[in-house]
Amino acid sequence: QQQVKQSPQSLIVQKGGISIINCAYENTAFDYFPWYQQFPGKGPALLIAIRPDVSEKKEGRFTISFNKSAKQFSLHIMDSQPGDSATYFCAASTGGKLIFGQGTELSVKP
Amino acid sequence: NAGVMQNPRHLVRRRGQEARLRCSPMKGHSHVYWYRQLPEEGLKFMVYLQKENIIDESGMPKERFSAEFPKEGPSILRIQQVVRGDSAAYFCASSPPASLHTDTQYFGPGTRLTVL
């Protein structure tokens, strides 16, 4: 019940394309859903986050879509750039601790 | 405004030694979290602390691991009698007080522990 399942495990996108990463959860008590970006050898950096009372949130090229009834949420990266190549983690939390998905390694080809 | 600071960045220990990892939260943050990232895996929650209190240690191994966040000074994650399976990246995160957005956690650069 505490799991967050993330897919795909890896993703290759052409420059300018749309990258889409999906996550699913079981625990309906989760009330905060952030996405983190991590480059090799670095700590995770918060990208964007959403709460379940909102179905979509957009910040620049990054959009979270949230489907409360399906218990799914996704990250869309528009106009993907080579500099976006990194590992992306979704997470869910309630009461403080973050439960992370397994990560998606994104590679954007020039 | 300095971010979350962790030291050392790299730590090498031999089996049976002790490892001490330090974390200084962002200025004004009173909540600290520790996560472990094994090679090729996601981050796993270990422990959640406030000043002088352990709030949630449900992810902490029962033996050899301990954490503290004293009134003064950094948070410490202590691993006694390290084994090769403890080799991982250990990340600290901090978040603002409960009156603000406690859920928003900011991560440090991590300490990469290698056990020989």
Side-chain angles (χ1 to χ4, degrees), chain A residues 11-107:
Chain A
L11 181 61
I12 300 174
V13 173
Q14 290 297 123
K15 179 182 175 182
I18 302 173
S19 303
I20 301 174
I21 305 170
N22 301 297
C23 285
Y25 64 97
E26 289 294 325
N27 188 351
T28 55
F30 288 143
D31 57 5
Y32 177 71
F33 302 87
W35 285 88
Y36 284 85
Q37 178 190 58
Q38 186 179 29
F39 293 103
K42 305 293 185 183
L46 179 65
L47 262 182
I48 186 172
I50 199 167
R51 297 192 184 274
D53 54 347
V54 177
S55 62
E56 186 175 282
K57 184 174 181 180
K58 184 177 180 180
E59 290 184 0
R61 296 186 293 111
F62 301 94
T63 300
I64 298 179
S65 297
F66 187 84
N67 186 329
K68 187 174 181 178
S69 60
K71 291 185 282 188
Q72 295 175 347
F73 58 110
S74 60
L75 176 69
H76 295 231
I77 306 174
M78 313 301 280
D79 187 26
S80 299
Q81 299 296 313
D84 296 331
S85 297
T87 301
Y88 293 80
F89 292 97
C90 64
S93 87
T94 179
K97 73 182 181 185
L98 289 171
I99 307 299
F100 282 88
Q102 297 90 332
T104 296
E105 190 172 346
L106 172 65
S107 178

